[in-house]
Amino acid sequence: MKARTIISLVLLLLFLIFPDDAMAQRRRRGESFSDSPRELLNPTAPADSLSNDSIPLPAIPDSLAVSDSKKKDGLNAPVEYEANDSIVFTAGGYVHLYGSGKVNYEKIELTSEIISMNMDSSTVFARGVQDSIGNVTGTPVFKDGDTGYETKTMRYNFKSKRGYISNVVTQQGEGYVTGNNAKKGTNDELFMQHGRYTTCDHHDHPHFYLQMTRAKVRPKKNVVTGPAYLVVEDVPLPFAVPFFFFPFNSSYSSGFIMPTYMDDSSRGFGLTGGGYYFAIDDKKDMKLLADIYTRGSWALAVESNYIKRYKYSGAFQMNYQVTKTGDKNADDYLVSKDFKVVWSHRQDAKASPNSSFSAQVNFSTSSYERQNVNNLYNPNLMAQNTKTSSVSYSRTFPEQKLTISSTFNIAQSMRDSSIAVTLPDMNISLSRLYPFKRKRAVGQERWYEKISLSYTGQLRNSITTKDDQLFKSNLVKDWKNGMSHSIPVSATFTAFKYFNITPSFNYREKWLTHKVEQEWSATDNRLMPTDTIYGFYRLYDYDMSLSLNTKLYGMYQPLFKAAKEREVMIRHVFTPQISLSNAPDFGASHYGYWETVEYIDANGMPRTQTYSPYAGQIYSPPGQGKRQSISFDVANNIEMKYKSLKDSTYRKVSIIDELGGNISYNAAADSMNWSNLNLRLRLKYGKKTFSMNAVFATYAYEFNNKGEVYVGKKTEWSYGRFGRFQGWSNSFSYTLNNDTFKKLFGKDKDKDEKDNKKGGKDSNADPNDLDSDLNDEEDTTPEKKVEKAQAGADGYQEFKMPWSFNINYRINITENRKADINPKSMRYPYKVTHNLNCGGNIKLSNKWSVTFNSGYDFEYKKITQTTFSISRDLHCWNMSASLTPFGVYKSYNFTIRASASILQDLKWEQRSQTQSNIRWY
């Protein structure tokens, strides 16, 4: 008892001797911050100190509770606080939080390494801690709702909602606002002097910024400043503005679109792309844009986007421009009026399973792309020769097995201003039916139950004219229209287990709206139209055929040692087919499809010539002559399967995917019964496919009495020669990249892993079974990878740059009929036209990127349209340069601009003028 009394007296003496401030835990660690809690909460402040706004708080229980859930007098909500290290209460109503302190009040959240609160004045002060080498950590982060502020020190009053912030950083929109000293108002606004605005995320030392003398920041609303000037890499530039205004509206709202300055030699000075944005609702919007130039050119544009979730989405654009070039009243003065309509509509696949609607419209006048300023530096648009547009709708009736589809097509040729329009192109199709099939089948299937039929109908209305004559055309006289019907009936039977027999009957019918009568004109020495008769004309034809086909399999296993070790097995599939077809002569007079005209030629000899009054329409009339033909077709397929040495899996390789040919013989023809021989070859390696089709003429060239060459009635075989090669065309493309040489000269780990995965799936495969899907074979297609150039351990750039190079070669071989024929071989020389196109890209480093496209035309011996571009990522800026030195449209363009879209006008651009024939010096 005596010892306890002595200890109590000693503790009481210590409390009386030492001041209250010494009892609070502190972690100074050499920091230069104030030590007094009163000084922390009341540093040398201006006259309107926040302490005047304080409201006393009730006494806090003497405990280390991490939150105060009681309602504070004068405050709207309780103040909750916590700390990871310690919470110390001192005299005068002070609370000190050490170690990741956190204070919450309503929507306000404050976190800092050290926080000191005065419960009487409702004020709080926060700061970080400084270590022995001067680094400050745990600086305050203040959040008022969704708006956050990073600061060095902060003093705030909960009651008045005002405070002082030093070294504040707050993100607003795409940019950051920083300031040395700022005052926070009651409505969350910030008032600062000598602040900065930048879109560079290195806000502590940005690459560029706008130095603001005075500014008012309204979070998520706007920034309004007084005079400001631009600073780049800490160098002030002589570019200043008396004030500026940046909106930061995060909500969906309407607003003005600022124009871009333009300088063009033919149009003059101008403002482009300015207008107004209408935020109609969450499902659609609209932009109105305008261009204007000092020499009288102007343009208007309307753009709209729309979307309805799970239903459809699309975009619509309409442009109208008036271009004036040259001097008025001069010979070179030209005024052109052009328009363009672009519409894209996509329907969600789940919106309607039985119907679909889509649109891809890109329609413009022939001179629009060449007159539009924005396209003058895009060689692809300037050299574009054709444009296509399509709007389609389809509807399926599953119960009736009926499908109705309609398409509206437009094809434009920019070269000669011609346009081909089809409106509509409607198709009606009935799925294959088995009309004689029993509803309740008992026993085996009867032969007549295999008979099937289907129906296809097409209604077309089209015209080909000039684009300026389209709306002046007559629907009856200028448009071609008609309807066709097709009803195929067929069945497939098996004979002797190995042969498939397929008889078929095809009926076709065409409905036309007019016919053209013709007579012989002695003046023109040819048939000339005399009368066009409009009405309803029905033309029909039919044919019957019978085909027989089978498959023959041959297996071969090589006997040499390497083949035995790998269990190589080769399979050859031979597919022959014979078809018989028969059709009457629809050129007979009783059908009325062909007419015969008798006339006297210039030598006084009687002549006859046939023509069809229905020729030249949207559907051709049935052909002349009786047809009783026999067709022969053969196809070969060779595949190989072998065992992998790495594991027990089997690999499949297609050696020849298809090698075949076909020819026919018309027994009903008086002469030239044989058709041309058609050969085809298809090779498949992985996902790469090579196809080639060649035609060999059967009948040989001969000379007539005048020494002219014509196709005679004797076959090439009768002269001991193979069929005459008619020509061939094809294109080859290949892409080289980083992985190409790795696969050729190095070990590709990714490929080995892929092989192992595939091997596990086919490890128990039968080596003699080659009927498996060849799609399981290894994929040799180089995959495109997006990767960045990296630096090694020594800090230097590794020589590993992502790149790709694409080569496309097209060749066309045809007979040159303009040259002289070889009288011995009776062959014309062949004309070869080929061109080479190439393009690629290389990423020199993480910041540099280069792309190019070029080619060579061997016929004209010229380099084709060439484009070369290089870009550099400058972090918060972007620099790009493009050059088109060859081709019809030469140009260059250099641009350096801020990356942020809100600063789209902060740029410098230098480019060539809009003339297409630039001279290079």
Side-chain angles (χ1 to χ4, degrees):
M1 184 68 181
K2 185 177 181 181
R4 292 181 180 178
T5 304
I6 294 173
I7 292 174
S8 300
L9 291 175
V10 172
L11 292 176
L12 179 61
L13 181 62
L14 291 174
F15 277 97
L16 293 175
I17 294 175
F18 292 98
D20 295 341
D21 295 347
M23 302 305 299
Q25 289 186 356
R26 282 165 172 76
R27 297 182 181 181
R28 292 178 174 81
R29 297 181 184 178
E31 68 267 30
S32 60
F33 297 103
S34 174
D35 292 335
S36 172
R38 292 178 175 82
E39 293 178 358
L40 291 176
L41 294 175
N42 296 279
T44 56
D48 57 345
S49 175
L50 299 178
S51 60
N52 298 332
D53 299 323
S54 63
I55 294 180
L57 298 176
I60 305 298
D62 188 9
S63 65
L64 295 179
V66 297
S67 65
D68 183 8
S69 60
K70 296 183 180 181
K71 183 79 174 180
K72 306 298 184 296
D73 295 339
L75 296 179
N76 298 326
V79 178
E80 299 180 355
Y81 50 89
E82 61 183 30
N84 291 342
D85 191 337
S86 60
I87 301 177
V88 179
F89 301 92
T90 60
Y94 292 104
V95 179
H96 307 284
L97 311 179
Y98 297 99
S100 300
K102 183 178 180 180
V103 177
N104 289 329
Y105 171 68
E106 291 185 336
K107 298 186 298 179
I108 296 173
E109 178 182 308
L110 175 63
T111 59
S112 182
E113 187 66 21
I114 298 178
I115 300 177
S116 297
M117 293 188 299
N118 189 302
M119 311 304 264
D120 297 330
S121 60
S122 303
T123 57
V124 61
F125 178 81
R127 64 176 175 85
V129 294
Q130 185 174 351
D131 57 19
S132 58
I133 60 175
N135 294 328
V136 179
T137 60
T139 55
V141 177
F142 181 83
K143 289 185 178 180
D144 191 350
D146 296 332
T147 305
Y149 306 93
E150 297 179 17
T151 67
K152 186 176 181 181
T153 62
M154 181 174 184
R155 187 162 59 93
Y156 184 76
N157 188 290
F158 291 112
K159 181 60 179 177
S160 64
K161 297 184 179 181
R162 294 191 296 171
Y164 290 101
I165 306 173
S166 65
N167 299 96
V168 62
V169 178
T170 176
Q171 183 176 4
Q172 301 296 328
E174 296 181 75
Y176 296 87
V177 178
T178 64
N180 293 330
N181 294 291
K183 180 178 180 181
K184 184 180 182 301
T186 56
N187 294 323
D188 295 337
E189 67 272 15
L190 289 177
F191 301 91
M192 62 177 62
Q193 291 182 347
H194 309 295
R196 298 175 178 179
Y197 176 80
T198 180
T199 57
C200 180
D201 54 6
H202 296 168
H203 46 74
D204 54 344
H205 190 190
H207 296 118
F208 84 101
Y209 56 87
L210 287 170
Q211 182 68 58
M212 305 177 294
T213 55
R214 293 178 180 270
K216 177 181 179 181
V217 181
R218 301 172 63 194
K220 295 187 177 182
K221 293 183 179 179
N222 53 56
V223 170
V224 182
T225 77
Y229 56 92
L230 181 64
V231 179
V232 177
E233 292 293 350
D234 298 330
V235 178
L237 299 181
F239 300 108
V241 291
F243 68 91
F244 71 79
F245 171 83
F246 281 127
F248 301 128
N249 195 345
S250 59
S251 61
Y252 183 53
S253 59
S254 304
F256 288 97
I257 301 174
M258 297 302 295
T260 301
Y261 169 77
M262 178 71 70
D263 180 12
D264 185 76
S265 60
S266 59
R267 295 169 177 81
F269 300 101
L271 297 176
T272 63
Y276 196 82
Y277 177 80
F278 295 91
I280 301 175
D281 53 37
D282 294 338
K283 298 179 181 179
K284 52 186 174 296
D285 65 357
M286 185 175 66
K287 280 196 297 186
L288 292 179
L289 303 175
D291 302 344
I292 187 169
Y293 294 89
T294 54
R295 293 194 176 184
S297 299
W298 57 276
L300 293 175
V302 179
E303 299 179 10
S304 178
N305 297 280
Y306 58 89
I307 185 172
K308 189 173 184 180
R309 184 174 296 181
Y310 309 122
K311 292 291 184 181
Y312 54 79
S313 62
F316 178 80
Q317 176 184 345
M318 180 182 293
N319 301 74
Y320 180 80
Q321 65 183 21
V322 177
T323 305
K324 298 180 180 181
T325 57
D327 297 326
K328 199 171 184 179
N329 300 325
D331 295 337
D332 61 346
Y333 184 69
L334 178 64
V335 178
S336 62
K337 300 179 180 179
D338 302 282
F339 71 93
K340 181 178 182 179
V341 177
V342 178
W343 180 31
S344 174
H345 181 89
R346 299 167 297 277
Q347 179 178 305
D348 195 301
K350 300 178 182 178
S352 179
N354 296 326
S355 65
S356 64
F357 177 79
S358 63
Q360 290 293 333
V361 177
N362 184 11
F363 179 81
S364 66
T365 53
S366 57
S367 60
Y368 177 86
E369 303 295 353
R370 295 179 177 87
Q371 297 293 343
N372 190 281
V373 176
N374 297 324
N375 298 341
L376 294 176
Y377 303 94
N378 189 337
N380 295 327
L381 289 176
M382 294 294 292
Q384 188 177 27
N385 291 326
T386 59
K387 279 187 177 184
T388 58
S389 302
S390 176
V391 179
S392 60
Y393 173 80
S394 66
R395 173 75 178 180
T396 302
F397 302 90
E399 296 181 356
Q400 291 77 22
K401 296 185 177 181
L402 185 67
T403 301
I404 301 176
S405 61
S406 180
T407 306
F408 166 41
N409 297 313
I410 300 178
Q412 293 178 265
S413 177
M414 303 292 104
R415 181 174 299 176
D416 57 359
S417 303
S418 62
I419 182 172
V421 181
T422 304
L423 176 66
D425 185 355
M426 187 171 69
N427 292 271
I428 304 172
S429 62
L430 183 66
S431 301
R432 187 171 296 276
L433 302 176
Y434 294 86
F436 304 110
K437 209 157 200 175
R438 294 170 292 174
K439 295 182 179 179
R440 297 182 179 179
V442 178
Q444 294 184 353
E445 188 179 25
R446 311 289 175 81
W447 67 269
Y448 54 82
E449 291 183 289
K450 297 180 180 181
I451 299 175
S452 64
L453 63 87
S454 60
Y455 167 80
T456 302
Q458 185 182 47
L459 174 65
R460 295 189 66 189
N461 181 43
S462 65
I463 186 175
T464 300
T465 183
K466 298 294 183 180
D467 56 7
D468 58 344
Q469 299 295 321
L470 177 62
F471 297 104
K472 300 178 182 179
S473 60
N474 186 281
L475 181 62
V476 177
K477 296 181 179 180
D478 300 326
W479 288 70
K480 297 179 180 180
N481 38 59
M483 189 171 184
S484 69
H485 310 269
S486 176
I487 303 176
V489 182
S490 63
T492 302
F493 307 99
T494 302
F496 306 107
K497 294 183 180 181
Y498 304 109
F499 297 93
N500 297 321
I501 301 176
T502 305
S504 63
F505 173 80
N506 296 289
Y507 177 82
R508 294 171 292 272
E509 188 169 304
K510 305 176 181 68
W511 296 348
L512 302 177
T513 57
H514 68 276
K515 67 178 182 178
V516 180
E517 299 287 350
Q518 300 184 31
E519 291 183 359
W520 182 262
S521 174
T523 305
D524 299 317
N525 197 27
R526 63 186 180 93
L527 289 173
M528 295 293 293
T530 57
D531 189 17
T532 301
I533 305 173
Y534 296 95
F536 175 76
Y537 299 95
R538 172 177 165 267
L539 287 68
Y540 70 91
D541 67 296
Y542 56 86
D543 63 70
M544 295 172 287
S545 64
L546 179 68
S547 66
L548 174 68
N549 69 81
T550 187
K551 286 182 181 293
L552 301 176
Y553 295 86
M555 307 295 292
Y556 171 71
Q557 186 173 10
L559 300 179
F560 52 90
K561 184 178 179 180
K564 290 183 177 180
E565 292 178 354
R566 307 196 69 173
E567 301 181 14
V568 176
M569 182 66 69
I570 299 175
R571 185 184 71 176
H572 176 208
V573 182
F574 178 69
T575 307
Q577 181 175 334
I578 301 176
S579 301
L580 306 175
S581 62
N582 186 7
D585 181 12
F586 291 99
S589 58
H590 63 275
Y591 287 104
Y593 304 153
W594 293 83
E595 301 288 344
T596 301
V597 176
E598 298 179 355
Y599 64 95
I600 305 297
D601 63 7
N603 298 324
M605 299 296 294
R607 301 287 185 183
T608 60
Q609 188 169 346
T610 60
Y611 77 95
S612 175
Y614 307 102
Q617 298 196 43
I618 199 166
Y619 297 113
S620 301
Q624 291 179 286
K626 188 177 181 180
R627 188 174 78 252
Q628 293 178 351
S629 63
I630 304 175
S631 300
F632 304 92
D633 186 278
V634 294
N636 296 271
N637 174 266
I638 301 177
E639 302 168 356
M640 180 178 69
K641 199 168 190 178
Y642 63 93
K643 185 178 181 180
S644 175
L645 296 178
K646 298 180 180 179
D647 46 40
S648 59
T649 62
Y650 289 91
R651 309 282 178 83
K652 295 174 287 292
V653 176
S654 173
I655 300 176
I656 298 178
D657 194 54
E658 185 183 16
L659 173 61
N662 62 79
I663 193 172
S664 63
Y665 179 83
N666 187 5
D670 297 332
S671 61
M672 304 180 69
N673 307 84
W674 290 99
S675 69
N676 292 335
L677 175 64
N678 298 279
L679 297 181
R680 59 187 182 273
L681 172 66
R682 185 172 67 247
L683 304 177
K684 182 180 179 182
Y685 298 99
K687 293 184 179 180
K688 294 289 185 180
T689 302
F690 170 78
S691 300
M692 184 178 71
N693 295 278
V695 180
F696 295 87
T698 301
Y699 294 93
Y701 286 128
E702 295 181 6
F703 290 104
N704 60 13
N705 297 331
K706 298 180 181 180
E708 298 172 344
V709 180
Y710 72 102
V711 178
K713 296 183 179 181
K714 292 184 179 181
T715 63
E716 293 279 358
W717 314 321
S718 63
Y719 292 100
R721 300 190 299 257
F722 192 73
R724 188 176 67 256
F725 180 58
Q726 296 286 279
W728 171 67
S729 65
N730 211 329
S731 62
F732 310 91
S733 63
Y734 194 77
T735 300
L736 302 170
N737 56 21
N738 299 74
D739 297 333
T740 303
F741 299 102
K742 183 193 299 183
K743 293 181 178 180
L744 292 176
F745 305 108
K747 184 177 180 180
D748 191 350
K749 297 181 180 180
D750 297 336
K751 180 177 179 294
D752 294 339
E753 294 177 359
K754 186 186 297 183
D755 292 342
N756 293 334
K757 291 181 180 179
K758 292 185 177 180
K761 185 174 66 172
D762 197 26
S763 59
N764 299 322
D766 184 359
N768 297 323
D769 180 17
L770 286 168
D771 291 326
S772 302
D773 189 0
L774 288 176
N775 291 332
D776 290 340
E777 62 192 5
E778 60 191 27
D779 182 11
T780 59
T781 305
E783 298 180 359
K784 295 182 179 179
K785 296 182 179 180
V786 179
E787 56 185 69
K788 293 184 177 181
Q790 300 176 355
D794 55 0
Y796 288 95
Q797 180 76 49
E798 288 186 351
F799 191 73
K800 181 182 178 182
M801 299 176 290
W803 62 273
S804 67
F805 182 75
N806 179 267
I807 303 174
N808 183 277
Y809 176 74
R810 184 172 184 84
I811 183 172
N812 188 19
I813 304 175
T814 57
E815 286 184 309
N816 187 6
R817 298 289 185 90
K818 296 181 179 180
D820 295 331
I821 194 170
N822 188 333
K824 293 183 179 181
S825 62
M826 294 304 291
R827 294 285 193 272
Y828 282 104
Y830 290 98
K831 178 182 179 182
V832 180
T833 58
H834 50 146
N835 56 69
L836 177 70
N837 294 314
C838 60
N841 62 82
I842 180 172
K843 196 170 183 62
L844 299 175
S845 67
N846 292 342
K847 304 295 183 181
W848 286 98
S849 179
V850 179
T851 61
F852 76 95
N853 286 282
S854 186
Y856 187 80
D857 193 320
F858 293 92
E859 182 177 2
Y860 295 98
K861 298 181 180 180
K862 290 183 178 180
I863 299 177
T864 60
Q865 196 79 40
T866 301
T867 59
F868 177 86
S869 63
I870 183 171
S871 63
R872 162 72 172 170
D873 183 6
L874 300 173
H875 188 253
C876 47
W877 289 73
N878 183 271
M879 181 186 68
S880 63
S882 62
L883 176 66
T884 305
F886 307 111
V888 178
Y889 304 100
K890 304 180 182 70
S891 64
Y892 66 87
N893 190 359
F894 176 82
T895 305
I896 180 170
R897 65 172 69 233
S899 302
S901 59
I902 195 171
L903 298 177
Q904 59 180 344
D905 293 324
L906 187 57
K907 63 179 180 179
W908 182 75
E909 187 173 27
Q910 183 66 35
R911 60 183 180 179
S912 60
Q913 296 297 329
T914 56
Q915 293 89 347
S916 60
N917 52 347
I918 298 174
R919 293 183 179 179
W920 304 99
Y921 296 97

